[in-house]
PDB file of all heavy atoms in Angstrom:
ATOM      1  N   ALA A   1     -14.846  -9.056 -17.488  1.00 98.00           N
ATOM      2  CA  ALA A   1     -14.184 -10.053 -16.575  1.00 98.00           C
ATOM      3  C   ALA A   1     -15.096 -11.316 -16.540  1.00 98.00           C
ATOM      4  O   ALA A   1     -16.346 -11.154 -16.550  1.00 98.00           O
ATOM      5  CB  ALA A   1     -14.018  -9.499 -15.191  1.00 98.00           C
ATOM      6  N   VAL A   2     -14.433 -12.515 -16.510  1.00 97.00           N
ATOM      7  CA  VAL A   2     -15.217 -13.718 -16.379  1.00 97.00           C
ATOM      8  C   VAL A   2     -14.873 -14.706 -15.244  1.00 97.00           C
ATOM      9  O   VAL A   2     -15.383 -15.705 -15.089  1.00 97.00           O
ATOM     10  CB  VAL A   2     -15.098 -14.566 -17.815  1.00 97.00           C
ATOM     11  CG1 VAL A   2     -15.676 -13.725 -18.959  1.00 97.00           C
ATOM     12  CG2 VAL A   2     -13.557 -14.748 -18.121  1.00 97.00           C
ATOM     13  N   MET A   3     -13.756 -14.257 -14.591  1.00 95.00           N
ATOM     14  CA  MET A   3     -13.396 -15.143 -13.451  1.00 95.00           C
ATOM     15  C   MET A   3     -12.520 -14.291 -12.485  1.00 95.00           C
ATOM     16  O   MET A   3     -11.514 -13.802 -12.855  1.00 95.00           O
ATOM     17  CB  MET A   3     -12.475 -16.312 -13.891  1.00 95.00           C
ATOM     18  CG  MET A   3     -12.035 -17.264 -12.828  1.00 95.00           C
ATOM     19  SD  MET A   3     -10.897 -18.636 -13.500  1.00 95.00           S
ATOM     20  CE  MET A   3     -10.833 -19.742 -12.135  1.00 95.00           C
ATOM     21  N   MET A   4     -12.987 -14.141 -11.260  1.00 94.00           N
ATOM     22  CA  MET A   4     -12.284 -13.367 -10.188  1.00 94.00           C
ATOM     23  C   MET A   4     -11.169 -14.222  -9.679  1.00 94.00           C
ATOM     24  O   MET A   4     -11.365 -15.380  -9.304  1.00 94.00           O
ATOM     25  CB  MET A   4     -13.179 -12.954  -9.105  1.00 94.00           C
ATOM     26  CG  MET A   4     -12.542 -12.069  -8.070  1.00 94.00           C
ATOM     27  SD  MET A   4     -11.689 -10.583  -8.777  1.00 94.00           S
ATOM     28  CE  MET A   4     -13.085  -9.851  -9.602  1.00 94.00           C
ATOM     29  N   VAL A   5      -9.929 -13.736  -9.682  1.00 95.00           N
ATOM     30  CA  VAL A   5      -8.739 -14.468  -9.113  1.00 95.00           C
ATOM     31  C   VAL A   5      -8.304 -13.880  -7.761  1.00 95.00           C
ATOM     32  O   VAL A   5      -8.175 -14.592  -6.837  1.00 95.00           O
ATOM     33  CB  VAL A   5      -7.611 -14.357 -10.164  1.00 95.00           C
ATOM     34  CG1 VAL A   5      -6.412 -15.203  -9.475  1.00 95.00           C
ATOM     35  CG2 VAL A   5      -7.996 -15.134 -11.426  1.00 95.00           C
ATOM     36  N   TYR A   6      -8.170 -12.552  -7.695  1.00 96.00           N
ATOM     37  CA  TYR A   6      -7.783 -11.859  -6.547  1.00 96.00           C
ATOM     38  C   TYR A   6      -9.036 -11.368  -5.809  1.00 96.00           C
ATOM     39  O   TYR A   6      -9.440 -10.321  -5.978  1.00 96.00           O
ATOM     40  CB  TYR A   6      -6.823 -10.746  -6.717  1.00 96.00           C
ATOM     41  CG  TYR A   6      -5.461 -11.119  -7.249  1.00 96.00           C
ATOM     42  CD1 TYR A   6      -4.667 -10.263  -7.982  1.00 96.00           C
ATOM     43  CD2 TYR A   6      -4.916 -12.420  -7.146  1.00 96.00           C
ATOM     44  CE1 TYR A   6      -3.451 -10.560  -8.479  1.00 96.00           C
ATOM     45  CE2 TYR A   6      -3.749 -12.766  -7.685  1.00 96.00           C
ATOM     46  CZ  TYR A   6      -2.993 -11.884  -8.275  1.00 96.00           C
ATOM     47  OH  TYR A   6      -1.725 -12.228  -8.775  1.00 96.00           O
ATOM     48  N   ASP A   7      -9.572 -12.292  -4.958  1.00 96.00           N
ATOM     49  CA  ASP A   7     -10.850 -11.905  -4.283  1.00 96.00           C
ATOM     50  C   ASP A   7     -10.549 -10.673  -3.390  1.00 96.00           C
ATOM     51  O   ASP A   7     -11.423  -9.867  -3.123  1.00 96.00           O
ATOM     52  CB  ASP A   7     -11.222 -13.123  -3.335  1.00 96.00           C
ATOM     53  CG  ASP A   7     -12.554 -12.770  -2.606  1.00 96.00           C
ATOM     54  OD1 ASP A   7     -13.547 -12.544  -3.282  1.00 96.00           O
ATOM     55  OD2 ASP A   7     -12.552 -12.892  -1.465  1.00 96.00           O
ATOM     56  N   VAL A   8      -9.385 -10.610  -2.816  1.00 96.00           N
ATOM     57  CA  VAL A   8      -8.933  -9.435  -2.098  1.00 96.00           C
ATOM     58  C   VAL A   8      -7.833  -8.822  -2.857  1.00 96.00           C
ATOM     59  O   VAL A   8      -6.870  -9.496  -3.207  1.00 96.00           O
ATOM     60  CB  VAL A   8      -8.383  -9.741  -0.634  1.00 96.00           C
ATOM     61  CG1 VAL A   8      -7.618  -8.596  -0.081  1.00 96.00           C
ATOM     62  CG2 VAL A   8      -9.484 -10.135   0.300  1.00 96.00           C
ATOM     63  N   PRO A   9      -7.930  -7.536  -3.280  1.00 95.00           N
ATOM     64  CA  PRO A   9      -6.956  -6.904  -4.135  1.00 95.00           C
ATOM     65  C   PRO A   9      -5.719  -6.764  -3.462  1.00 95.00           C
ATOM     66  O   PRO A   9      -5.618  -6.439  -2.322  1.00 95.00           O
ATOM     67  CB  PRO A   9      -7.596  -5.522  -4.522  1.00 95.00           C
ATOM     68  CG  PRO A   9      -8.409  -5.240  -3.279  1.00 95.00           C
ATOM     69  CD  PRO A   9      -9.084  -6.591  -2.900  1.00 95.00           C
ATOM     70  N   PRO A  10      -4.610  -6.905  -4.221  1.00 92.00           N
ATOM     71  CA  PRO A  10      -3.217  -6.790  -3.556  1.00 92.00           C
ATOM     72  C   PRO A  10      -2.780  -5.288  -3.507  1.00 92.00           C
ATOM     73  O   PRO A  10      -1.579  -5.016  -3.063  1.00 92.00           O
ATOM     74  CB  PRO A  10      -2.338  -7.590  -4.500  1.00 92.00           C
ATOM     75  CG  PRO A  10      -3.065  -7.485  -5.818  1.00 92.00           C
ATOM     76  CD  PRO A  10      -4.453  -7.407  -5.475  1.00 92.00           C
ATOM     77  N   PHE A  11      -3.670  -4.316  -3.711  1.00 93.00           N
ATOM     78  CA  PHE A  11      -3.303  -2.926  -3.626  1.00 93.00           C
ATOM     79  C   PHE A  11      -2.666  -2.626  -2.225  1.00 93.00           C
ATOM     80  O   PHE A  11      -3.354  -2.798  -1.173  1.00 93.00           O
ATOM     81  CB  PHE A  11      -4.461  -2.039  -3.868  1.00 93.00           C
ATOM     82  CG  PHE A  11      -5.229  -2.359  -5.160  1.00 93.00           C
ATOM     83  CD1 PHE A  11      -6.490  -2.337  -5.170  1.00 93.00           C
ATOM     84  CD2 PHE A  11      -4.519  -2.645  -6.282  1.00 93.00           C
ATOM     85  CE1 PHE A  11      -7.243  -2.598  -6.290  1.00 93.00           C
ATOM     86  CE2 PHE A  11      -5.234  -2.965  -7.455  1.00 93.00           C
ATOM     87  CZ  PHE A  11      -6.672  -2.909  -7.507  1.00 93.00           C
ATOM     88  N   SER A  12      -1.567  -2.054  -2.284  1.00 96.00           N
ATOM     89  CA  SER A  12      -0.909  -1.780  -0.951  1.00 96.00           C
ATOM     90  C   SER A  12       0.067  -0.614  -1.165  1.00 96.00           C
ATOM     91  O   SER A  12       0.361  -0.151  -2.277  1.00 96.00           O
ATOM     92  CB  SER A  12       0.022  -2.924  -0.546  1.00 96.00           C
ATOM     93  OG  SER A  12      -0.694  -4.174  -0.403  1.00 96.00           O
ATOM     94  N   ILE A  13       0.434   0.030  -0.018  1.00 97.00           N
ATOM     95  CA  ILE A  13       1.513   0.916   0.034  1.00 97.00           C
ATOM     96  C   ILE A  13       2.524   0.253   0.984  1.00 97.00           C
ATOM     97  O   ILE A  13       2.285  -0.277   2.028  1.00 97.00           O
ATOM     98  CB  ILE A  13       1.086   2.229   0.669  1.00 97.00           C
ATOM     99  CG1 ILE A  13       0.142   2.905  -0.217  1.00 97.00           C
ATOM    100  CG2 ILE A  13       2.368   3.139   0.979  1.00 97.00           C
ATOM    101  CD1 ILE A  13      -0.490   4.217   0.387  1.00 97.00           C
ATOM    102  N   VAL A  14       3.771   0.165   0.377  1.00 97.00           N
ATOM    103  CA  VAL A  14       4.899  -0.454   1.103  1.00 97.00           C
ATOM    104  C   VAL A  14       5.883   0.629   1.473  1.00 97.00           C
ATOM    105  O   VAL A  14       6.314   1.363   0.633  1.00 97.00           O
ATOM    106  CB  VAL A  14       5.593  -1.604   0.258  1.00 97.00           C
ATOM    107  CG1 VAL A  14       6.691  -2.166   0.969  1.00 97.00           C
ATOM    108  CG2 VAL A  14       4.525  -2.717  -0.057  1.00 97.00           C
ATOM    109  N   GLY A  15       6.253   0.698   2.846  1.00 98.00           N
ATOM    110  CA  GLY A  15       7.022   1.812   3.251  1.00 98.00           C
ATOM    111  C   GLY A  15       8.093   1.299   4.234  1.00 98.00           C
ATOM    112  O   GLY A  15       8.179   0.062   4.460  1.00 98.00           O
ATOM    113  N   ARG A  16       8.895   2.227   4.569  1.00 98.00           N
ATOM    114  CA  ARG A  16      10.108   1.751   5.489  1.00 98.00           C
ATOM    115  C   ARG A  16       9.882   2.568   6.870  1.00 98.00           C
ATOM    116  O   ARG A  16       9.621   3.707   6.914  1.00 98.00           O
ATOM    117  CB  ARG A  16      11.377   2.159   4.869  1.00 98.00           C
ATOM    118  CG  ARG A  16      11.684   1.396   3.622  1.00 98.00           C
ATOM    119  CD  ARG A  16      13.100   1.746   3.091  1.00 98.00           C
ATOM    120  NE  ARG A  16      14.131   1.517   4.180  1.00 98.00           N
ATOM    121  CZ  ARG A  16      15.442   1.758   3.952  1.00 98.00           C
ATOM    122  NH1 ARG A  16      15.764   2.452   2.912  1.00 98.00           N
ATOM    123  NH2 ARG A  16      16.289   1.559   4.945  1.00 98.00           N
ATOM    124  N   VAL A  17       9.928   1.727   7.855  1.00 98.00           N
ATOM    125  CA  VAL A  17       9.908   2.385   9.333  1.00 98.00           C
ATOM    126  C   VAL A  17      10.910   3.405   9.549  1.00 98.00           C
ATOM    127  O   VAL A  17      10.691   4.413  10.105  1.00 98.00           O
ATOM    128  CB  VAL A  17       9.945   1.056  10.314  1.00 98.00           C
ATOM    129  CG1 VAL A  17       9.899   1.741  11.597  1.00 98.00           C
ATOM    130  CG2 VAL A  17       8.855   0.177  10.079  1.00 98.00           C
ATOM    131  N   SER A  18      12.080   3.136   9.039  1.00 97.00           N
ATOM    132  CA  SER A  18      13.257   4.053   9.096  1.00 97.00           C
ATOM    133  C   SER A  18      13.020   5.375   8.405  1.00 97.00           C
ATOM    134  O   SER A  18      13.814   6.299   8.624  1.00 97.00           O
ATOM    135  CB  SER A  18      14.537   3.322   8.740  1.00 97.00           C
ATOM    136  OG  SER A  18      14.569   2.988   7.336  1.00 97.00           O
ATOM    137  N   GLN A  19      12.098   5.339   7.426  1.00 97.00           N
ATOM    138  CA  GLN A  19      11.682   6.497   6.706  1.00 97.00           C
ATOM    139  C   GLN A  19      10.447   7.191   7.298  1.00 97.00           C
ATOM    140  O   GLN A  19       9.923   8.003   6.655  1.00 97.00           O
ATOM    141  CB  GLN A  19      11.507   6.196   5.167  1.00 97.00           C
ATOM    142  CG  GLN A  19      12.788   5.703   4.506  1.00 97.00           C
ATOM    143  CD  GLN A  19      13.729   6.861   4.226  1.00 97.00           C
ATOM    144  OE1 GLN A  19      14.827   6.830   4.756  1.00 97.00           O
ATOM    145  NE2 GLN A  19      13.325   7.754   3.417  1.00 97.00           N
ATOM    146  N   GLY A  20      10.055   6.628   8.436  1.00 98.00           N
ATOM    147  CA  GLY A  20       8.891   7.211   9.174  1.00 98.00           C
ATOM    148  C   GLY A  20       7.587   6.719   8.779  1.00 98.00           C
ATOM    149  O   GLY A  20       6.526   7.182   9.219  1.00 98.00           O
ATOM    150  N   ILE A  21       7.527   5.586   8.074  1.00 98.00           N
ATOM    151  CA  ILE A  21       6.272   4.948   7.680  1.00 98.00           C
ATOM    152  C   ILE A  21       5.951   3.663   8.368  1.00 98.00           C
ATOM    153  O   ILE A  21       6.526   2.633   8.077  1.00 98.00           O
ATOM    154  CB  ILE A  21       6.168   4.662   6.221  1.00 98.00           C
ATOM    155  CG1 ILE A  21       6.540   5.942   5.397  1.00 98.00           C
ATOM    156  CG2 ILE A  21       4.807   4.071   5.823  1.00 98.00           C
ATOM    157  CD1 ILE A  21       5.590   7.172   5.547  1.00 98.00           C
ATOM    158  N   SER A  22       5.213   3.766   9.475  1.00 97.00           N
ATOM    159  CA  SER A  22       4.779   2.664  10.314  1.00 97.00           C
ATOM    160  C   SER A  22       3.413   2.248  10.144  1.00 97.00           C
ATOM    161  O   SER A  22       2.970   1.177  10.474  1.00 97.00           O
ATOM    162  CB  SER A  22       5.044   2.902  11.831  1.00 97.00           C
ATOM    163  OG  SER A  22       6.423   3.095  12.061  1.00 97.00           O
ATOM    164  N   GLY A  23       2.561   3.118   9.504  1.00 97.00           N
ATOM    165  CA  GLY A  23       1.218   2.906   9.356  1.00 97.00           C
ATOM    166  C   GLY A  23       0.506   4.015   8.427  1.00 97.00           C
ATOM    167  O   GLY A  23       1.278   4.818   8.037  1.00 97.00           O
ATOM    168  N   ILE A  24      -0.727   3.781   8.202  1.00 98.00           N
ATOM    169  CA  ILE A  24      -1.364   4.750   7.219  1.00 98.00           C
ATOM    170  C   ILE A  24      -1.427   6.137   7.753  1.00 98.00           C
ATOM    171  O   ILE A  24      -1.332   7.140   6.907  1.00 98.00           O
ATOM    172  CB  ILE A  24      -2.859   4.171   6.931  1.00 98.00           C
ATOM    173  CG1 ILE A  24      -3.429   4.933   5.845  1.00 98.00           C
ATOM    174  CG2 ILE A  24      -3.704   4.361   8.290  1.00 98.00           C
ATOM    175  CD1 ILE A  24      -4.761   4.329   5.380  1.00 98.00           C
ATOM    176  N   ASP A  25      -1.342   6.320   9.041  1.00 96.00           N
ATOM    177  CA  ASP A  25      -1.440   7.758   9.632  1.00 96.00           C
ATOM    178  C   ASP A  25       0.019   8.465   9.274  1.00 96.00           C
ATOM    179  O   ASP A  25       0.007   9.676   9.452  1.00 96.00           O
ATOM    180  CB  ASP A  25      -1.617   7.744  11.124  1.00 96.00           C
ATOM    181  CG  ASP A  25      -2.969   7.337  11.349  1.00 96.00           C
ATOM    182  OD1 ASP A  25      -3.860   7.304  10.578  1.00 96.00           O
ATOM    183  OD2 ASP A  25      -3.183   6.794  12.524  1.00 96.00           O
ATOM    184  N   ASP A  26       0.938   7.803   8.800  1.00 98.00           N
ATOM    185  CA  ASP A  26       2.347   8.429   8.596  1.00 98.00           C
ATOM    186  C   ASP A  26       2.502   8.867   7.095  1.00 98.00           C
ATOM    187  O   ASP A  26       3.536   9.433   6.704  1.00 98.00           O
ATOM    188  CB  ASP A  26       3.371   7.422   8.879  1.00 98.00           C
ATOM    189  CG  ASP A  26       3.454   7.005  10.360  1.00 98.00           C
ATOM    190  OD1 ASP A  26       3.195   7.877  11.242  1.00 98.00           O
ATOM    191  OD2 ASP A  26       3.562   5.805  10.704  1.00 98.00           O
ATOM    192  N   LEU A  27       1.526   8.581   6.226  1.00 98.00           N
ATOM    193  CA  LEU A  27       1.668   9.087   4.897  1.00 98.00           C
ATOM    194  C   LEU A  27       1.653  10.503   4.612  1.00 98.00           C
ATOM    195  O   LEU A  27       2.354  11.052   3.837  1.00 98.00           O
ATOM    196  CB  LEU A  27       0.619   8.372   4.065  1.00 98.00           C
ATOM    197  CG  LEU A  27       0.557   6.882   4.024  1.00 98.00           C
ATOM    198  CD1 LEU A  27      -0.578   6.301   3.221  1.00 98.00           C
ATOM    199  CD2 LEU A  27       1.845   6.430   3.348  1.00 98.00           C
ATOM    200  N   GLU A  28       0.891  11.219   5.490  1.00 98.00           N
ATOM    201  CA  GLU A  28       0.799  12.632   5.327  1.00 98.00           C
ATOM    202  C   GLU A  28       2.149  13.213   5.597  1.00 98.00           C
ATOM    203  O   GLU A  28       2.903  12.884   6.603  1.00 98.00           O
ATOM    204  CB  GLU A  28      -0.236  13.269   6.227  1.00 98.00           C
ATOM    205  CG  GLU A  28      -1.707  12.892   5.844  1.00 98.00           C
ATOM    206  CD  GLU A  28      -2.665  13.739   6.769  1.00 98.00           C
ATOM    207  OE1 GLU A  28      -2.189  14.351   7.670  1.00 98.00           O
ATOM    208  OE2 GLU A  28      -3.873  13.528   6.519  1.00 98.00           O
ATOM    209  N   GLY A  29       2.736  14.164   4.692  1.00 97.00           N
ATOM    210  CA  GLY A  29       3.939  14.736   4.847  1.00 97.00           C
ATOM    211  C   GLY A  29       5.110  13.938   4.248  1.00 97.00           C
ATOM    212  O   GLY A  29       6.293  14.368   4.479  1.00 97.00           O
ATOM    213  N   SER A  30       4.861  12.771   3.669  1.00 98.00           N
ATOM    214  CA  SER A  30       5.893  11.882   3.215  1.00 98.00           C
ATOM    215  C   SER A  30       6.007  11.970   1.708  1.00 98.00           C
ATOM    216  O   SER A  30       5.267  12.609   1.016  1.00 98.00           O
ATOM    217  CB  SER A  30       5.580  10.476   3.582  1.00 98.00           C
ATOM    218  OG  SER A  30       4.453   9.976   2.882  1.00 98.00           O
ATOM    219  N   ILE A  31       6.974  11.266   1.164  1.00 98.00           N
ATOM    220  CA  ILE A  31       7.247  11.171  -0.248  1.00 98.00           C
ATOM    221  C   ILE A  31       6.756   9.773  -0.696  1.00 98.00           C
ATOM    222  O   ILE A  31       7.299   8.698  -0.217  1.00 98.00           O
ATOM    223  CB  ILE A  31       8.707  11.359  -0.676  1.00 98.00           C
ATOM    224  CG1 ILE A  31       9.161  12.819  -0.180  1.00 98.00           C
ATOM    225  CG2 ILE A  31       8.944  11.343  -2.170  1.00 98.00           C
ATOM    226  CD1 ILE A  31      10.592  13.003  -0.315  1.00 98.00           C
ATOM    227  N   LEU A  32       5.845   9.692  -1.587  1.00 98.00           N
ATOM    228  CA  LEU A  32       5.284   8.518  -2.070  1.00 98.00           C
ATOM    229  C   LEU A  32       5.710   8.297  -3.543  1.00 98.00           C
ATOM    230  O   LEU A  32       5.466   9.040  -4.353  1.00 98.00           O
ATOM    231  CB  LEU A  32       3.763   8.607  -2.012  1.00 98.00           C
ATOM    232  CG  LEU A  32       2.971   7.390  -2.614  1.00 98.00           C
ATOM    233  CD1 LEU A  32       3.182   6.122  -1.778  1.00 98.00           C
ATOM    234  CD2 LEU A  32       1.462   7.755  -2.618  1.00 98.00           C
ATOM    235  N   GLY A  33       6.306   7.148  -3.756  1.00 98.00           N
ATOM    236  CA  GLY A  33       6.717   6.790  -5.196  1.00 98.00           C
ATOM    237  C   GLY A  33       5.538   5.920  -5.822  1.00 98.00           C
ATOM    238  O   GLY A  33       5.112   4.995  -5.199  1.00 98.00           O
ATOM    239  N   ALA A  34       5.162   6.325  -6.974  1.00 96.00           N
ATOM    240  CA  ALA A  34       4.026   5.628  -7.631  1.00 96.00           C
ATOM    241  C   ALA A  34       4.276   5.600  -9.176  1.00 96.00           C
ATOM    242  O   ALA A  34       4.446   6.543  -9.939  1.00 96.00           O
ATOM    243  CB  ALA A  34       2.716   6.483  -7.410  1.00 96.00           C
TER     244      ALA A  34
END
């Protein structure tokens, strides 16, 4: 690598509140698409 572009990585989990995902604590017991 010779030039950093994303100083903060865009790595994320995007979920739906209506599917029970309001925050990181809700991931356990859920279905994660990857």
Side-chain angles (χ1 to χ4, degrees):
V2 292
M3 181 183 192
M4 185 55 58
V5 177
Y6 294 157
D7 181 62
V8 166
F11 308 141
S12 301
I13 294 172
V14 176
R16 294 183 59 187
V17 176
S18 60
Q19 294 288 116
I21 307 298
S22 296
I24 193 169
D25 294 335
D26 300 319
L27 295 177
E28 292 183 356
S30 69
I31 302 175
L32 174 66

